[in-house]
Coordinates of all heavy atoms in Angstrom, one line a residue:
V76 N -133.4 204.8 65.6 CA -134.2 204.0 66.5 C -133.3 203.6 67.6 O -132.2 203.1 67.4 CB -134.8 202.8 65.8 CG1 -135.6 202.0 66.8 CG2 -135.6 203.2 64.6
R77 N -133.7 203.7 68.9 CA -132.9 203.2 70.0 C -133.8 202.6 71.1 O -135.0 202.9 71.2 CB -132.0 204.3 70.5 CG -132.8 205.5 71.2 CD -131.8 206.5 71.8 NE -131.3 206.0 73.1 CZ -131.6 206.7 74.2 NH1 -132.3 207.8 74.1 NH2 -131.2 206.3 75.3
F78 N -133.2 201.8 71.9 CA -133.8 201.0 72.9 C -133.7 201.8 74.3 O -132.6 202.3 74.6 CB -133.2 199.7 73.1 CG -133.6 198.9 74.3 CD1 -134.8 198.3 74.4 CD2 -132.7 198.6 75.3 CE1 -135.2 197.6 75.5 CE2 -133.0 197.9 76.4 CZ -134.3 197.4 76.5
V79 N -134.8 201.8 75.0 CA -134.8 202.3 76.4 C -135.5 201.2 77.2 O -136.6 200.9 77.0 CB -135.6 203.6 76.5 CG1 -135.7 204.1 78.0 CG2 -135.0 204.8 75.7
E80 N -134.7 200.7 78.2 CA -135.2 199.6 79.0 C -136.4 200.1 79.9 O -136.2 201.1 80.6 CB -134.1 199.0 79.9 CG -134.6 197.8 80.7 CD -133.5 197.2 81.5 OE1 -132.4 197.6 81.4 OE2 -133.9 196.3 82.3
C81 N -137.5 199.4 79.8 CA -138.7 199.9 80.5 C -139.6 198.7 80.7 O -140.3 198.3 79.7 CB -139.4 201.1 79.8 SG -140.7 201.7 80.8
D82 N -139.7 198.2 81.9 CA -140.7 197.1 82.2 C -141.9 197.7 82.8 O -141.9 198.2 83.9 CB -140.0 196.1 83.1 CG -140.9 194.9 83.5 OD1 -142.1 194.9 83.1 OD2 -140.5 194.0 84.1
M83 N -143.0 197.8 82.0 CA -144.2 198.4 82.5 C -144.9 197.7 83.6 O -145.8 198.3 84.2 CB -145.2 198.5 81.3 CG -144.7 199.4 80.1 SD -144.3 201.1 80.5 CE -145.9 201.8 80.6
Q84 N -144.4 196.6 84.0 CA -144.9 195.9 85.2 C -144.0 196.1 86.4 O -144.2 195.5 87.5 CB -144.9 194.4 84.9 CG -145.9 194.0 83.8 CD -146.0 192.6 83.5 OE1 -145.2 191.8 84.0 NE2 -146.9 192.2 82.6
D85 N -143.1 197.1 86.3 CA -142.2 197.4 87.4 C -142.1 199.0 87.5 O -141.4 199.6 86.6 CB -140.9 196.7 87.2 CG -139.9 197.0 88.3 OD1 -140.1 197.9 89.2 OD2 -138.8 196.4 88.3
S86 N -142.7 199.6 88.5 CA -142.6 201.1 88.6 C -141.2 201.6 88.6 O -141.0 202.7 88.1 CB -143.5 201.6 89.7 OG -143.0 201.1 91.0
K87 N -140.3 200.9 89.3 CA -138.9 201.4 89.4 C -138.3 201.4 88.0 O -137.6 202.4 87.6 CB -138.1 200.5 90.3 CG -138.5 200.7 91.8 CD -137.8 199.7 92.7 CE -138.3 199.9 94.1 NZ -138.4 198.6 94.8
S88 N -138.6 200.4 87.2 CA -138.1 200.4 85.8 C -138.6 201.6 85.0 O -137.9 202.2 84.2 CB -138.4 199.1 85.1 OG -138.0 199.1 83.8
V89 N -139.9 201.8 85.2 CA -140.6 202.9 84.4 C -139.9 204.3 84.9 O -139.6 205.1 84.0 CB -142.1 202.9 84.7 CG1 -142.8 204.1 84.1 CG2 -142.7 201.6 84.2
R90 N -139.7 204.4 86.1 CA -139.1 205.7 86.6 C -137.7 205.8 86.1 O -137.3 207.0 85.7 CB -139.1 205.7 88.1 CG -140.5 206.0 88.7 CD -140.4 206.3 90.2 NE -141.8 206.5 90.7 CZ -142.5 207.6 90.5 NH1 -142.0 208.6 89.9 NH2 -143.7 207.6 91.0
R91 N -136.9 204.7 86.0 CA -135.6 204.8 85.4 C -135.7 205.3 83.9 O -134.9 206.1 83.4 CB -134.8 203.5 85.5 CG -134.2 203.2 86.8 CD -133.3 202.0 86.8 NE -133.9 200.8 86.4 CZ -134.6 200.0 87.3 NH1 -134.6 200.2 88.6 NH2 -135.1 198.8 86.9
A92 N -136.6 204.7 83.2 CA -136.8 205.1 81.8 C -137.2 206.6 81.7 O -136.7 207.3 80.8 CB -137.9 204.2 81.1
I93 N -138.1 207.0 82.5 CA -138.5 208.4 82.5 C -137.3 209.3 82.8 O -137.1 210.3 82.0 CB -139.6 208.7 83.6 CG1 -140.9 208.0 83.2 CG2 -139.8 210.1 83.9 CD1 -141.9 207.9 84.3
N94 N -136.5 209.0 83.7 CA -135.3 209.8 84.1 C -134.3 209.8 82.9 O -133.7 210.8 82.6 CB -134.6 209.3 85.3 CG -135.5 209.6 86.6 OD1 -136.3 210.5 86.6 ND2 -135.3 208.8 87.6
E95 N -134.1 208.7 82.2 CA -133.2 208.6 81.1 C -133.8 209.5 80.0 O -133.0 210.3 79.4 CB -133.1 207.2 80.6 CG -132.2 207.0 79.4 CD -132.0 205.5 79.0 OE1 -132.3 204.6 79.8 OE2 -131.7 205.3 77.8
I96 N -135.0 209.4 79.7 CA -135.6 210.2 78.6 C -135.5 211.7 79.0 O -135.1 212.5 78.1 CB -137.1 209.8 78.3 CG1 -137.1 208.4 77.7 CG2 -137.8 210.8 77.4 CD1 -138.5 207.8 77.8
K97 N -135.9 212.1 80.2 CA -135.8 213.5 80.6 C -134.4 214.0 80.6 O -134.2 215.2 80.3 CB -136.4 213.7 82.0 CG -137.9 213.6 82.0 CD -138.4 213.8 83.5 CE -139.8 214.2 83.6 NZ -140.3 214.4 85.0
S98 N -133.4 213.2 80.9 CA -132.0 213.7 80.9 C -131.5 213.9 79.5 O -130.5 214.7 79.3 CB -131.1 212.7 81.6 OG -130.9 211.5 80.9
E99 N -132.1 213.3 78.5 CA -131.6 213.4 77.1 C -132.4 214.3 76.2 O -132.0 214.6 75.1 CB -131.4 212.0 76.5 CG -130.4 211.2 77.3 CD -130.2 209.8 76.7 OE1 -130.3 209.7 75.5 OE2 -129.9 208.9 77.5
Y100 N -133.7 214.5 76.5 CA -134.6 215.2 75.7 C -135.3 216.3 76.4 O -135.7 216.2 77.5 CB -135.6 214.3 75.0 CG -135.0 213.2 74.2 CD1 -134.7 212.0 74.8 CD2 -134.7 213.4 72.9 CE1 -134.1 211.0 74.0 CE2 -134.1 212.4 72.1 CZ -133.8 211.2 72.7 OH -133.2 210.2 72.0
S101 N -135.5 217.5 75.7 CA -136.2 218.6 76.3 C -137.7 218.6 75.8 O -138.5 219.4 76.4 CB -135.5 219.9 76.0 OG -135.4 220.1 74.6
K102 N -137.9 217.9 74.8 CA -139.3 217.9 74.2 C -139.5 216.5 73.5 O -138.6 215.9 73.0 CB -139.6 219.1 73.3 CG -138.6 219.1 72.1 CD -138.8 220.4 71.4 CE -137.9 220.3 70.2 NZ -137.6 221.5 69.5
L103 N -140.8 216.2 73.4 CA -141.2 215.0 72.7 C -142.4 215.3 71.8 O -143.3 216.1 72.2 CB -141.7 213.9 73.7 CG -140.7 213.4 74.7 CD1 -141.4 212.4 75.7 CD2 -139.5 212.7 74.0
Y104 N -142.5 214.7 70.6 CA -143.6 214.9 69.8 C -144.7 214.0 70.1 O -145.9 214.4 70.1 CB -143.2 214.8 68.3 CG -144.4 214.9 67.4 CD1 -145.1 216.0 67.3 CD2 -144.8 213.7 66.7 CE1 -146.3 216.1 66.5 CE2 -146.0 213.8 65.9 CZ -146.7 215.0 65.8 OH -147.8 215.0 65.0
C105 N -144.4 212.7 70.3 CA -145.5 211.7 70.5 C -145.1 210.7 71.6 O -144.0 210.2 71.6 CB -145.7 211.0 69.2 SG -147.0 209.7 69.2
L106 N -146.0 210.4 72.4 CA -146.0 209.3 73.4 C -147.1 208.3 73.0 O -148.2 208.7 73.0 CB -146.2 209.8 74.8 CG -146.3 208.7 75.9 CD1 -145.1 207.8 75.9 CD2 -146.6 209.4 77.2
A107 N -146.7 207.2 72.5 CA -147.6 206.2 72.0 C -147.6 205.0 72.9 O -146.6 204.3 73.1 CB -147.3 205.7 70.6
H108 N -148.7 204.7 73.5 CA -148.9 203.6 74.5 C -149.4 202.4 73.8 O -150.5 202.4 73.2 CB -149.8 203.9 75.6 CG -149.4 205.0 76.5 ND1 -148.3 204.9 77.3 CD2 -149.9 206.3 76.7 CE1 -148.2 206.0 78.0 NE2 -149.1 206.8 77.6
G109 N -148.7 201.3 73.9 CA -149.3 200.0 73.4 C -150.0 199.3 74.5 O -149.6 199.3 75.6
A110 N -151.2 198.8 74.1 CA -152.0 198.1 75.1 C -152.3 196.7 74.7 O -153.4 196.3 74.6 CB -153.3 198.9 75.3
G111 N -151.2 195.9 74.5 CA -151.4 194.6 74.0 C -151.3 193.5 74.9 O -151.4 192.3 74.6
D112 N -151.1 193.7 76.2 CA -151.0 192.6 77.2 C -152.3 192.0 77.4 O -153.3 192.7 77.6 CB -150.4 193.1 78.5 CG -148.9 193.3 78.5 OD1 -148.3 193.0 77.5 OD2 -148.4 193.9 79.5
L113 N -152.3 190.7 77.3 CA -153.5 189.9 77.6 C -153.5 189.5 79.1 O -152.5 189.1 79.6 CB -153.6 188.7 76.7 CG -153.7 189.0 75.2 CD1 -153.6 187.7 74.4 CD2 -155.0 189.7 74.9
P114 N -154.7 189.5 79.7 CA -154.7 189.0 81.1 C -154.3 187.5 81.1 O -154.6 186.7 80.2 CB -156.2 189.1 81.4 CG -156.8 190.0 80.5 CD -155.9 189.9 79.2
T115 N -153.5 187.2 82.1 CA -153.0 185.8 82.3 C -153.5 185.2 83.6 O -153.9 186.0 84.5 CB -151.5 185.8 82.2 OG1 -151.0 186.5 83.3 CG2 -151.0 186.3 80.9
Q116 N -153.4 183.9 83.7 CA -153.7 183.3 85.0 C -152.6 183.6 86.1 O -152.9 183.7 87.2 CB -153.8 181.8 84.8 CG -155.0 181.4 83.9 CD -156.3 181.8 84.5 OE1 -156.5 181.8 85.7 NE2 -157.2 182.1 83.6
E117 N -151.4 183.8 85.6 CA -150.3 184.0 86.5 C -150.3 185.5 87.0 O -150.4 186.4 86.2 CB -149.0 183.8 85.7 CG -147.7 184.1 86.6 CD -146.5 184.0 85.7 OE1 -146.5 183.2 84.8 OE2 -145.5 184.6 86.1
K118 N -150.3 185.6 88.3 CA -150.3 187.0 88.9 C -148.9 187.3 89.5 O -148.6 186.7 90.5 CB -151.4 187.1 90.0 CG -152.8 187.0 89.5 CD -153.3 188.3 89.0 CE -154.8 188.1 88.7 NZ -155.3 189.3 88.1
K119 N -148.2 188.0 88.8 CA -146.9 188.4 89.3 C -147.1 189.7 90.2 O -147.7 190.6 89.8 CB -146.0 188.7 88.1 CG -144.6 189.2 88.4 CD -143.8 189.4 87.1 CE -142.7 190.4 87.4 NZ -142.0 190.8 86.1
I120 N -146.5 189.7 91.4 CA -146.6 190.8 92.3 C -145.3 191.6 92.3 O -144.3 191.0 92.6 CB -147.0 190.3 93.7 CG1 -148.3 189.5 93.7 CG2 -147.2 191.5 94.6 CD1 -149.5 190.2 93.2
V121 N -145.4 192.9 92.0 CA -144.2 193.7 92.1 C -144.7 195.0 92.9 O -145.7 195.5 92.5 CB -143.7 194.1 90.7 CG1 -142.5 195.1 90.8 CG2 -143.3 192.9 89.9
D122 N -143.9 195.4 93.8 CA -144.3 196.6 94.6 C -145.7 196.4 95.3 O -146.4 197.4 95.4 CB -144.3 197.9 93.8 CG -142.9 198.2 93.2 OD1 -141.9 197.8 93.8 OD2 -142.8 198.9 92.1
G123 N -146.1 195.2 95.6 CA -147.3 195.0 96.2 C -148.5 195.1 95.3 O -149.7 195.1 95.8
I124 N -148.3 195.2 94.0 CA -149.4 195.3 93.0 C -149.3 194.2 92.0 O -148.2 194.0 91.5 CB -149.3 196.7 92.3 CG1 -149.4 197.8 93.4 CG2 -150.4 196.9 91.3 CD1 -149.2 199.2 92.8
D125 N -150.4 193.6 91.6 CA -150.3 192.5 90.6 C -149.9 193.2 89.2 O -150.1 194.3 89.0 CB -151.5 191.7 90.5 CG -152.7 192.3 89.7 OD1 -152.5 192.5 88.5 OD2 -153.7 192.6 90.4
S126 N -149.3 192.4 88.4 CA -148.7 192.9 87.1 C -149.7 193.6 86.2 O -149.3 194.5 85.5 CB -148.0 191.7 86.4 OG -148.9 190.7 86.1
Q127 N -150.9 193.1 86.1 CA -151.9 193.7 85.2 C -152.2 195.1 85.7 O -152.2 196.1 84.9 CB -153.1 192.9 85.1 CG -153.0 191.6 84.4 CD -152.7 191.8 82.9 OE1 -153.3 192.7 82.3 NE2 -151.7 191.1 82.3
K128 N -152.4 195.3 87.0 CA -152.7 196.6 87.5 C -151.5 197.5 87.4 O -151.6 198.7 87.0 CB -153.1 196.5 89.0 CG -154.5 195.9 89.2 CD -154.8 195.8 90.6 CE -156.1 195.0 90.8 NZ -156.3 194.5 92.1
Q129 N -150.3 197.0 87.6 CA -149.1 197.8 87.5 C -148.8 198.2 86.1 O -148.5 199.4 85.8 CB -147.8 197.0 88.0 CG -146.6 197.8 88.0 CD -146.7 199.1 88.9 OE1 -147.0 198.9 90.1 NE2 -146.4 200.2 88.4
N130 N -149.1 197.4 85.1 CA -149.0 197.7 83.7 C -149.9 198.9 83.4 O -149.5 199.8 82.7 CB -149.3 196.5 82.8 CG -148.9 196.7 81.4 OD1 -147.9 197.3 81.1 ND2 -149.8 196.2 80.5
Y131 N -151.1 198.9 83.9 CA -152.1 200.0 83.7 C -151.6 201.3 84.3 O -151.5 202.3 83.7 CB -153.4 199.5 84.3 CG -154.5 200.6 84.2 CD1 -155.2 200.8 83.1 CD2 -154.8 201.3 85.4 CE1 -156.2 201.8 83.1 CE2 -155.7 202.3 85.4 CZ -156.4 202.5 84.2 OH -157.4 203.5 84.2
L132 N -151.2 201.2 85.6 CA -150.7 202.3 86.3 C -149.4 202.9 85.7 O -149.2 204.1 85.8 CB -150.5 202.0 87.8 CG -151.8 201.6 88.6 CD1 -151.4 201.1 90.0 CD2 -152.7 202.8 88.7
S133 N -148.6 202.1 85.2 CA -147.3 202.6 84.6 C -147.5 203.5 83.4 O -146.8 204.4 83.2 CB -146.4 201.4 84.2 OG -146.0 200.7 85.4
H134 N -148.5 203.2 82.6 CA -148.8 204.1 81.5 C -149.3 205.5 82.0 O -148.9 206.5 81.4 CB -149.9 203.5 80.6 CG -149.4 202.4 79.8 ND1 -149.4 201.1 80.2 CD2 -148.8 202.3 78.6 CE1 -148.8 200.3 79.3 NE2 -148.5 201.0 78.3
I135 N -150.0 205.5 83.1 CA -150.4 206.8 83.7 C -149.2 207.5 84.2 O -149.0 208.7 84.0 CB -151.4 206.6 84.8 CG1 -152.7 206.0 84.2 CG2 -151.7 207.9 85.6 CD1 -153.7 205.5 85.2
L136 N -148.3 206.8 84.9 CA -147.0 207.4 85.4 C -146.2 207.9 84.3 O -145.7 209.1 84.3 CB -146.3 206.3 86.2 CG -144.9 206.7 86.7 CD1 -145.0 207.9 87.7 CD2 -144.2 205.5 87.3
L137 N -146.0 207.2 83.2 CA -145.2 207.6 82.1 C -145.8 208.9 81.4 O -145.1 209.8 81.2 CB -145.2 206.5 81.0 CG -144.2 206.5 79.9 CD1 -142.7 206.5 80.5 CD2 -144.3 205.4 79.0
T138 N -147.1 208.9 81.3 CA -147.8 210.1 80.7 C -147.6 211.3 81.6 O -147.2 212.4 81.1 CB -149.3 209.8 80.5 OG1 -149.4 208.7 79.6 CG2 -150.0 211.0 79.9
T139 N -147.9 211.1 82.8 CA -147.8 212.2 83.8 C -146.4 212.8 83.8 O -146.2 214.1 83.8 CB -148.2 211.8 85.2 OG1 -149.5 211.3 85.1 CG2 -148.2 212.9 86.2
E140 N -145.4 212.0 83.9 CA -144.0 212.5 84.0 C -143.5 213.0 82.7 O -142.6 213.9 82.7 CB -143.1 211.3 84.5 CG -143.4 211.0 85.9 CD -143.1 212.1 86.9 OE1 -142.0 212.7 86.7 OE2 -143.8 212.3 87.9
L141 N -143.9 212.5 81.5 CA -143.4 213.0 80.2 C -144.3 214.2 79.7 O -143.9 214.8 78.7 CB -143.3 211.9 79.2 CG -142.3 210.8 79.6 CD1 -142.2 209.7 78.5 CD2 -140.9 211.4 79.8

Side-chain angles (χ1 to χ4, degrees):
V76 182
R77 65 176 278 246
F78 170 70
V79 176
E80 184 178 356
C81 183
D82 182 350
M83 298 301 280
Q84 296 178 354
D85 180 353
S86 63
K87 291 178 184 138
S88 176
V89 175
R90 287 192 183 279
R91 279 192 299 273
I93 290 166
N94 290 335
E95 181 178 338
I96 292 166
K97 284 180 164 183
S98 72
E99 297 181 32
Y100 299 92
S101 60
K102 59 187 183 197
L103 301 174
Y104 173 66
C105 180
L106 172 58
H108 294 294
D112 281 352
L113 295 174
T115 62
Q116 296 297 329
E117 179 185 332
K118 295 276 188 186
K119 179 179 158 189
I120 305 295
V121 177
D122 298 333
I124 302 172
D125 79 66
S126 58
Q127 290 294 318
K128 290 177 186 166
Q129 185 60 54
N130 191 38
Y131 175 81
L132 294 171
S133 290
H134 286 89
I135 296 169
L136 175 62
L137 194 63
T138 300
T139 302
E140 291 294 320
L141 295 181

